Amino acid sequence: MAVVAAAAGWLLRLRAAGAEGHWRRFRGVGLARGFLHPSATVEDAAQRRQVAHFTFQPDPEPREYGQTQKMNLFQSVTSALDNSLAKDPTAVIFGEDVAFGGVFRCTVGLRDKYGKDRVFNTPLCEQGIVGFGIGIAVTGATAIAEIQFADYIFPAFDQIVNEAAKYRYRSGDLFNCGSLTIRSPWGCVGHGALYHSQSPEAFFAHCPGIKVVIPRSPFQAKGLLLSCIEDKNPCIFFEPKILYRAAAEQVPIEPYNIPLSQAEVIQEGSDVTLVAWGTQVHVIREVASMAKEKLGVSCEVIDLRTIIPWDVDTVCKSVIKTGRLLISHEAPLTGGFASEISSTVQEECFLNLEAPISRVCGYDTPFPHIFEPFYIPDKWKCYDALRKMINY
Amino acid sequence: MAVAIAAARVWRPNRGLSQAALLLLWRPGARGLARSHPRRQQQQFSSLDDKPQFPGASAEFIDKLEFIQPNVISGIPIYRVMDRQGQIINPSEDPHLPKEKVLKLYKSMTLLNTMDRILYESQRQGRISFYMTNYGEEGTHVGSAAALDNTDLVFGQYREAGVLMYRDYPLELFMAQCYGNISDLGKGRQMPVHYGCKERHFVTISSPLATQIPQAVGAAYAAKRANANRVVICYFGEGAASEGDAHAGFNFAATLECPIIFFCRNNGYAISTPTSEQYRGDGIAARGPGYGIMSIRVDGNDVFAVYNATKEARRRAVAENQPFLIEAMTYRIGHHSTSDDSSAYRSVDEVNYWDKQDHPISRLRHYLLSQGWWDEEQEKAWRKQSRKKVMEAFEQAERKPKPNPNLLFSDVYQEMPAQLRKQQESLARHLQTYGEHYPLEHFDK
């Protein structure tokens, strides 16, 4: 697990991410030209890795929170953690490999700044990490646990679902672990395959008592993470790992909060509502442009941000206006969170719907390696589904 | 010849390098040397030395192929202070507890025993849905509770009611939780015996086993950071010790240097599963050194042994910020719960032996009698009084209504989410029309 994580980190570092986040073609590092096929040119013979399936769209520089600095996603996470440890003397950060800075560099510098009793490694044991975090939170101290990849959160499922989520309820509010936040890298990364690409939010959506939050950008990440840390309920914060380096924008240096359980309409429109979270928000944003350009269709784009408790009102309000809803996520179709949104929206907005609700999701398979370009719900699949909805 | 692990009274993990070896390896100014704790001193890397250089173990080479044989025939010895007749064996181990304290120990155990009998019966009569007795294990509860500070945080499994009893948790609240009535601080959400008390620092019990173990470690870590001078004690059975969470908790406590007492009640059974099917090693105490944890095995039916071990563990855990493991050997005299009939898997003779010949309550009573602090008359009077107290609390608990059904919906989160409020309103509307089909008359309006 550590080897692949290190490899993943190495590969991510190799990416030359341009200012806009565009990927460069990846030429075999260290291999001489024509190594594989002496007769052919590199251009047509060598198998190149894919260009990213999205284009990160930074938001305009925020003005209301003071001085900003250009940060990528992992830096915005570090900034949030830095702010938290500065403000809250009880706050501690722990997990596998967080001491040296973390496999995705989210905790770089924090141990030196705040001390080894506040930023420390744990043994390699997710159920222990979460259980330990719950215990810290029970005493009232702030626990920020890291699970190295969301794919590895499952050993901690019992502690999260049976313990953390139910602590307050089962004790009649005598005890709680509200000051627990679990952070974890999430989602596809181009080459992660089964165990470095998962989006497990749907498993946790079925669990009253916790909050699940997924940011689309560095600015969103810092504000949402700070809200999770300060929230009086245990929170899971999934960080789209493909955005760690690829997404960069101006982010306030000082702490600020973005509210939980509030979806954001990032683009207004009148014909179709598009809902997504995390990386996929950038995909549907592009789909909205394509729809405008090719079909003259005006899309309302919503970033859900909090998976549970989710903002039913914002989504329903939008669908009442547009009459059409498309939801997209990387996670498999069946039982994915789009099914919850779809079910609720058809209950609340049945008579407003002009077409069946569309879900564009990953297939009902484990996340494949070499087939990733075919697996993911890319802009073409979303565009096609949108087109069908318009023509319904 | 098998390499036997020496049976010591206190089981100490091998701390590795001898003093001489340390001197040989010390090179001033070298990189990567001693961290705060001597046992983690890394050797100066040198290919000239024939000594092992591996970061993963501090040990010498051996050129003879030998497997270490686990020693289960002659396991870790069992520390005790009193014999089965309540007589002190080694006077230097007598804690010399004052009379009031010993009487409190005795009365806590017997009151618990009385409450257990009445509540077990009440389940049989359909008054409460479920119950678990503590028969035979009362000594493990009160002996350890008496050795702690009142503010030490307790994480239990489900058979530690005596700890609460010792901390003067009122009978009314025990019963309220079992009945799920309006006085239950837990608001009627859990099955009986899932007690919790913030005031008395007893974290609410949950049914999943061993989940409390890594949690207790986290709490201890926070206590250490807060300089709270507080120990956390974590109770669990020998069955729960098989769970992954137990392994996780032990390892975290040792590596993160937490002031915690792991207290294992080894009572011989996990429902119907005897210890021979639960583990193959030398019980739970033998696992401690594998994690680097100071460990001891005690006679759990000897209140003074439990007290002494817990007292010393507490003192050192807080002073040295390290975990301690106490395995208290005892016997579960009662059934696992009211859903169990243990005659299906063990003999009545076996149960009777423990009930008659080796019971924590009778052993302490013999001690009290021999001290002249108790007699037959006081025994009779106390039995009558404790039964009366329990019956009064019981009758009161019976009569109280259940909490308002609105409490079904609160405390899921600190604040009630909009969607949940809608569901709450939906139930209210439903009851307006269909209320006659629900037992509303027993619930607070």
Side-chain angles (χ1 to χ4, degrees):
Chain A
M1 195 201 301
V3 174
V4 190
W10 175 79
L11 285 165
L12 284 175
R13 279 195 288 283
L14 275 180
R15 298 267 183 270
E20 311 78 26
H22 279 283
W23 297 73
R24 307 229 188 272
R25 294 277 159 129
F26 179 87
R27 301 224 161 101
V29 173
L31 292 179
R33 198 177 271 255
F35 175 76
L36 291 166
H37 295 273
S39 53
T41 62
V42 178
E43 287 298 317
D44 46 271
Q47 285 199 329
R48 275 175 305 274
R49 304 272 293 281
Q50 284 284 68
V51 172
H53 67 290
F54 69 98
T55 303
F56 172 70
Q57 275 234 45
D59 283 326
E61 179 177 355
R63 297 277 170 210
E64 63 271 51
Y65 300 112
Q67 193 193 346
T68 66
Q69 186 181 307
K70 183 151 188 206
M71 298 185 205
N72 61 29
L73 185 67
F74 74 71
Q75 290 164 335
S76 71
V77 168
T78 314
S79 178
L81 297 175
D82 192 352
N83 291 154
S84 294
L85 265 59
K87 260 198 304 181
D88 177 354
T90 72
V92 292
I93 300 171
F94 52 92
E96 294 152 23
D97 304 297
V98 300
F100 88 104
V103 293
F104 291 109
R105 295 165 65 171
C106 294
T107 52
V108 168
L110 296 177
R111 184 177 169 95
D112 285 340
K113 188 167 178 184
Y114 294 103
K116 59 186 177 61
D117 60 318
R118 297 187 72 186
V119 181
F120 53 93
N121 292 337
T122 64
L124 209 166
C125 180
E126 288 76 14
Q127 68 194 100
I129 290 167
V130 174
F132 178 82
I134 292 171
I136 291 179
V138 166
T139 69
T142 299
I144 307 167
E146 176 178 304
I147 297 294
Q148 197 160 84
F149 284 84
D151 315 58
Y152 309 137
I153 202 164
F154 301 107
F157 201 73
D158 187 40
Q159 285 285 352
I160 294 169
V161 167
N162 267 336
E163 296 289 315
K166 297 173 168 62
Y167 231 89
R168 190 189 294 276
Y169 186 82
R170 74 188 187 199
S171 69
D173 201 18
L174 292 178
F175 297 95
N176 71 78
C177 58
S179 55
L180 170 67
T181 302
I182 301 165
R183 297 176 35 247
S184 191
W186 167 103
C188 77
V189 70
H191 56 276
L194 287 77
Y195 303 113
H196 299 82
S197 311
Q198 288 179 49
S199 313
E201 67 275 8
F203 292 103
F204 298 101
H206 195 57
C207 180
I210 51 170
K211 297 192 178 180
V212 178
V213 178
I214 307 175
R216 69 170 183 273
S217 71
F219 171 75
Q220 292 289 315
K222 176 169 168 169
L224 289 168
L225 178 55
L226 283 168
S227 294
C228 284
I229 292 169
E230 289 157 29
D231 195 272
K232 306 288 188 218
N233 303 286
C235 296
I236 303 179
F237 185 75
F238 286 126
E239 302 166 358
K241 65 178 83 68
I242 202 173
L243 298 180
Y244 273 142
R245 291 185 65 96
E249 61 186 351
Q250 295 295 121
V251 179
I253 296 170
E254 292 303 307
Y256 58 97
N257 293 92
I258 293 178
L260 303 184
S261 294
Q262 264 191 40
E264 185 181 359
V265 178
I266 59 176
Q267 179 183 307
E268 283 185 15
S270 52
D271 302 327
V272 190
T273 301
L274 307 178
V275 175
W277 46 91
T279 316
Q280 200 65 8
V281 173
H282 304 292
V283 175
I284 63 170
R285 235 172 171 163
E286 197 171 341
V287 174
S289 303
M290 288 162 72
K292 184 87 200 160
E293 194 189 303
K294 299 178 202 271
L295 306 169
V297 164
S298 155
C299 295
E300 182 143 291
V301 180
I302 298 180
D303 176 2
L304 194 65
R305 304 199 292 196
T306 299
I307 305 300
I308 49 154
W310 68 284
D311 185 355
V312 177
D313 288 348
T314 297
V315 176
C316 286
K317 184 166 155 211
S318 174
V319 177
I320 287 168
K321 181 169 68 165
T322 64
R324 293 177 183 84
L325 175 62
L326 183 150
I327 315 152
S328 186
H329 57 62
E330 290 168 23
L333 177 72
T334 300
F337 197 65
S339 35
E340 160 63 26
I341 297 173
S342 178
S343 186
T344 302
V345 168
Q346 65 87 27
E347 277 170 8
E348 302 290 322
C349 313
F350 186 73
L351 293 174
N352 302 98
L353 289 170
E354 297 290 338
I357 297 170
S358 181
R359 297 179 292 159
V360 185
C361 304
Y363 300 115
D364 289 333
T365 71
F367 201 109
H369 179 238
I370 213 70
F371 308 114
E372 176 163 338
F374 303 96
Y375 174 91
I376 51 174
D378 60 21
K379 61 193 178 196
W380 301 109
K381 292 180 186 171
C382 293
Y383 174 75
D384 191 54
L386 187 152
R387 201 176 46 77
K388 289 188 168 114
M389 245 194 337
I390 293 294
N391 295 331
Y392 187 79
Chain B
M1 187 202 118
V3 175
I5 301 171
R9 200 149 86 124
V10 176
W11 202 244
R12 232 185 308 274
N14 185 355
R15 289 289 152 101
L17 299 175
S18 66
Q19 284 300 110
L22 269 172
L23 286 172
L24 279 173
L25 293 163
W26 174 256
R27 296 222 188 1
R31 252 190 326 142
L33 277 183
R35 298 204 214 145
S36 56
H37 203 290
R39 77 192 134 147
R40 284 219 241 101
Q41 189 160 4
Q42 278 186 301
Q43 297 164 295
Q44 170 70 4
F45 185 80
S46 164
S47 55
L48 296 174
D49 262 328
D50 195 26
K51 301 225 172 277
Q53 304 291 331
F54 305 110
S58 172
E60 300 293 326
F61 281 123
I62 187 173
D63 51 30
K64 187 157 179 252
L65 176 65
E66 242 172 54
F67 288 99
I68 297 170
Q69 180 152 337
N71 193 342
V72 297
I73 306 298
S74 173
I76 296 169
I78 303 164
Y79 171 70
R80 65 172 182 171
V81 174
M82 290 188 279
D83 62 20
R84 291 192 185 101
Q85 289 73 43
Q87 302 311 305
I88 303 287
I89 298 166
N90 180 350
S92 66
E93 296 297 314
D94 185 344
H96 296 294
L97 296 179
K99 179 179 173 183
E100 317 83 65
K101 188 143 183 164
V102 185
L103 281 175
K104 185 172 163 69
L105 288 169
Y106 185 73
K107 287 186 174 179
S108 301
M109 290 197 289
T110 46
L111 187 59
L112 175 62
N113 188 276
T114 306
M115 183 180 82
D116 273 352
R117 287 174 201 281
I118 287 167
L119 285 177
Y120 186 92
E121 243 341 277
S122 84
Q123 191 278 341
R124 281 303 183 240
Q125 294 170 14
R127 296 167 189 271
I128 61 176
S129 61
F130 175 82
Y131 193 70
M132 299 176 101
T133 58
N134 302 271
Y135 302 145
E137 300 185 52
E138 300 91 342
T140 61
H141 307 172
V142 306
S144 51
L148 302 171
D149 284 6
N150 280 332
T151 52
D152 289 336
L153 192 57
V154 176
F155 285 79
Q157 180 170 301
Y158 54 54
R159 218 184 292 278
E160 294 89 14
V163 175
L164 269 176
M165 193 66 90
Y166 187 86
R167 287 188 174 180
D168 301 313
Y169 194 60
L171 292 170
E172 181 202 348
L173 290 182
F174 278 113
M175 308 264 178
Q177 198 284 326
C178 290
Y179 275 87
N181 69 28
I182 203 172
S183 298
D184 178 23
L185 298 176
K187 299 179 188 168
R189 284 147 186 179
Q190 292 212 81
M191 286 169 73
V193 310
H194 289 62
Y195 311 115
C197 183
K198 185 171 173 179
E199 223 179 286
R200 290 168 180 82
H201 311 284
F202 189 95
V203 180
T204 304
I205 301 298
S206 73
S207 305
L209 296 181
T211 48
Q212 73 278 14
I213 302 179
Q215 293 171 21
V217 177
Y221 188 86
K224 174 173 82 164
R225 277 212 74 237
N227 284 316
N229 261 319
R230 214 180 173 198
V231 90
V232 174
I233 190 165
C234 182
Y235 296 90
F236 52 95
E238 87 286 348
S242 295
E243 283 278 0
D245 273 345
H247 160 70
F250 295 157
N251 201 21
F252 276 55
T255 53
L256 300 174
E257 298 171 355
C258 300
I260 181 167
I261 300 171
F262 293 115
F263 195 104
C264 176
R265 294 176 292 96
N266 187 330
N267 63 13
Y269 291 89
I271 307 187
S272 69
T273 306
T275 54
S276 58
E277 291 171 9
Q278 195 63 247
Y279 52 75
R280 221 25 84 81
D282 178 22
I284 314 310
R287 298 179 196 171
Y291 293 98
I293 297 177
M294 300 284 292
S295 313
I296 191 170
R297 173 174 283 151
V298 305
D299 178 347
N301 292 351
D302 176 346
V303 178
F304 294 143
V306 172
Y307 175 86
N308 284 351
T310 309
K311 191 96 187 155
E312 178 65 359
R314 190 206 182 277
R315 185 186 69 78
R316 292 189 60 184
V318 173
E320 300 164 27
N321 282 318
Q322 65 166 317
F324 280 78
L325 171 60
I326 299 174
E327 182 182 18
M329 307 309 294
T330 179
Y331 187 84
R332 194 197 77 207
I333 289 174
H335 306 300
H336 165 70
S337 72
T338 47
S339 307
D340 176 49
D341 175 6
S342 61
S343 66
Y345 51 83
R346 59 182 184 177
S347 73
V348 171
D349 287 340
E350 178 185 302
V351 179
N352 274 334
Y353 166 79
W354 290 97
D355 199 24
K356 303 283 181 291
Q357 314 282 3
D358 193 345
H359 198 292
I361 292 175
S362 15
R363 285 167 76 177
L364 191 63
R365 183 170 58 246
H366 287 131
Y367 175 83
L368 282 172
L369 292 171
S370 68
Q371 296 289 102
W373 292 343
W374 199 247
D375 59 37
E376 261 316 301
E377 232 179 82
Q378 286 175 280
E379 175 72 19
K380 268 211 200 97
W382 169 241
R383 280 197 201 193
K384 197 165 163 204
Q385 189 195 356
S386 58
R387 195 182 154 75
K388 182 163 181 277
K389 274 165 64 138
V390 173
M391 288 308 300
E392 270 168 12
F394 172 77
E395 274 147 24
Q396 271 204 21
E398 287 255 302
R399 276 185 255 122
K400 286 180 186 165
K402 310 302 182 198
N404 189 297
N406 273 325
L407 290 180
L408 193 171
F409 294 98
S410 53
D411 304 323
V412 179
Y413 297 89
Q414 190 197 43
E415 69 291 345
M416 192 181 294
Q419 294 310 304
L420 191 54
R421 191 167 295 288
K422 281 197 194 154
Q423 292 176 12
Q424 182 180 46
E425 288 158 6
S426 152
L427 176 63
R429 281 193 305 272
H430 178 78
L431 290 175
Q432 272 170 10
T433 311
Y434 295 91
E436 60 181 300
H437 304 288
Y438 296 82
L440 283 167
E441 66 274 16
H442 300 301
F443 288 79
D444 190 39
K445 301 289 171 270

